[in-house]
Every structure is written in structure tokens, then in C-alpha cells.
Amino acid sequence: MEELIAKRYIKALKKSSSAEKMQETSAIFSILAEAFKDEKFIQIINNPDIDKNQKSAILLDAVKSAESKDVENLIKLLAEHNRIGIIPAIAEVMRKDIAVTTKNYTGVIYSDSEVDAKVIEDLSNGLSSKFDSKISLKFEKSSFNGIKVDVEDLGIEISFSKSRINSQIIEHIAKAI
């Protein structure tokens, strides 16, 4: 539900902004979204004793250095309609929208063993050419027994499980005999 509401605000914001301005706004909202991970901040935002104007003032002080009228007006509008809580959703939808517009995506490689930087670069280049986009990958150590590549924004998930490959090799050898 929050995502749908966030999309409406972003659609209106896109009409009056350039791509560069949208990237700046996205960066500001990403930083604001990080504040929503702080328990004390959430208590302040959700406190019914603090009125809309005070909540708005807190957020406006946080973004004052950006000197962006669009951001300030959006925050005032969100506060006015009691929708400050959707700021993390706005940040995420903006990030995805910019990724689609610029065709720049990020993904994660999961594996239980270290993956060489050259392999990460090769996978990134291969996926980039396959999907006509720029895909940058980062490595994250996990308990997955093999290699799994996940580019969420494109809906791509590729996995190579060591146990599955071993069982297929054994199956193939058994059929050959």
C-alpha cells in the first residue's frame, strides 16, 4: 500500500524535475529513510503528542543543507497528510525508478567461499551485456553452498549449487554406464 502511495508522489515530482534533480532528491530521501531505522526517531515520529508541524520541522531541519524546495514541499505535504511514515517507501521507489531510467542496477553475489574479484567483474560484464544495462555486483558471504547471483530490480536470480552439480554429474555417469 505504501509503495502505491509513494509512486503517486514520485510521479508528480518527476513531472517537475530533471533526471539529475531526481537523483539528488533520491539521495536525500535515502538518508532520511536511514533515520527510520533508529528506534528513538521512530518513537518521535509515531508520538501522537507531537503535532504535524513539529514533525515536519524535525525533517526539514535534517534536509535544510540540501537547499531543495521540492524536497521541502514534499516533506510538508507528507506531514500535512500524516504520511511521514512512507518516507522509506518513497526512497526505495525512487531508487528503483532511477535504476530503470538510467539502466544502472546493483546486485549481490552470495557464496560460502570467497569469489575472486575477476569472477565478479566477469559476471557483472556478462549480465550487463545480456540485459543491455550496467549491472554492478558486490560479494556477500553466506551459507549458500555454491554461487548465487541476485539482481532484485531486474528480477534476476541465478544459482549454481555445488550439491546439485555433483548429483547431476553422478546421474550422467550412471546413465553412461
Side-chain angles (χ1 to χ4, degrees):
M1 182 68 169
E2 286 182 347
E3 189 174 318
L4 294 173
I5 296 168
K7 284 181 180 180
R8 286 183 178 168
Y9 285 107
I10 292 168
K11 184 178 178 182
L13 194 60
K14 278 177 70 172
K15 286 182 180 179
S16 66
S17 297
S18 65
E20 184 179 299
K21 191 87 163 161
M22 283 300 291
Q23 286 183 331
E24 292 170 8
T25 304
S26 176
I28 294 167
F29 273 89
S30 293
I31 293 167
L32 282 177
E34 287 296 315
F36 281 82
K37 294 179 182 176
D38 183 9
E39 197 63 39
K40 289 180 182 178
F41 181 78
I42 293 173
Q43 287 176 350
I44 292 169
I45 295 300
N46 292 335
N47 190 337
D49 296 332
I50 299 174
D51 71 350
K52 298 175 192 180
N53 294 332
Q54 291 172 317
K55 292 176 186 179
S56 176
I58 291 169
L59 292 170
L60 290 172
D61 283 343
V63 300
K64 186 186 292 183
S65 63
E67 297 178 1
S68 172
K69 283 290 181 199
D70 289 341
V71 173
E72 290 177 14
N73 290 337
L74 183 54
I75 288 172
K76 288 176 185 175
L77 188 63
L78 291 171
E80 184 179 316
H81 294 287
N82 290 322
R83 291 187 170 161
I84 290 175
I86 69 165
I87 288 177
I90 289 174
E92 182 62 18
V93 171
M94 274 184 163
R95 184 195 62 75
K96 287 179 181 180
D97 186 64
I98 289 171
V100 169
T101 303
T102 61
K103 290 189 172 189
N104 283 332
Y105 302 97
T106 57
V108 182
I109 297 175
Y110 301 100
S111 181
D112 61 347
S113 57
E114 289 297 319
V115 177
D116 187 41
K118 176 73 173 137
V119 172
I120 293 172
E121 184 181 334
D122 290 344
L123 282 170
S124 177
N125 291 337
L127 286 172
S128 293
S129 65
K130 173 88 174 154
F131 291 97
D132 191 30
S133 302
K134 173 148 179 26
I135 299 173
S136 55
L137 299 171
K138 66 178 181 176
F139 174 74
E140 199 171 291
K141 194 159 180 91
S142 72
S143 61
F144 185 74
N145 189 18
I147 295 177
K148 180 168 125 179
V149 179
D150 186 18
V151 184
E152 186 179 329
D153 293 342
L154 279 175
I156 300 170
E157 185 177 308
I158 305 166
S159 62
F160 305 98
S161 170
K162 290 177 186 175
S163 60
R164 183 172 173 213
I165 291 172
N166 287 340
S167 68
Q168 287 177 338
I169 289 173
I170 292 169
E171 231 178 80
H172 185 67
I173 292 172
K175 286 181 182 178
I177 296 177

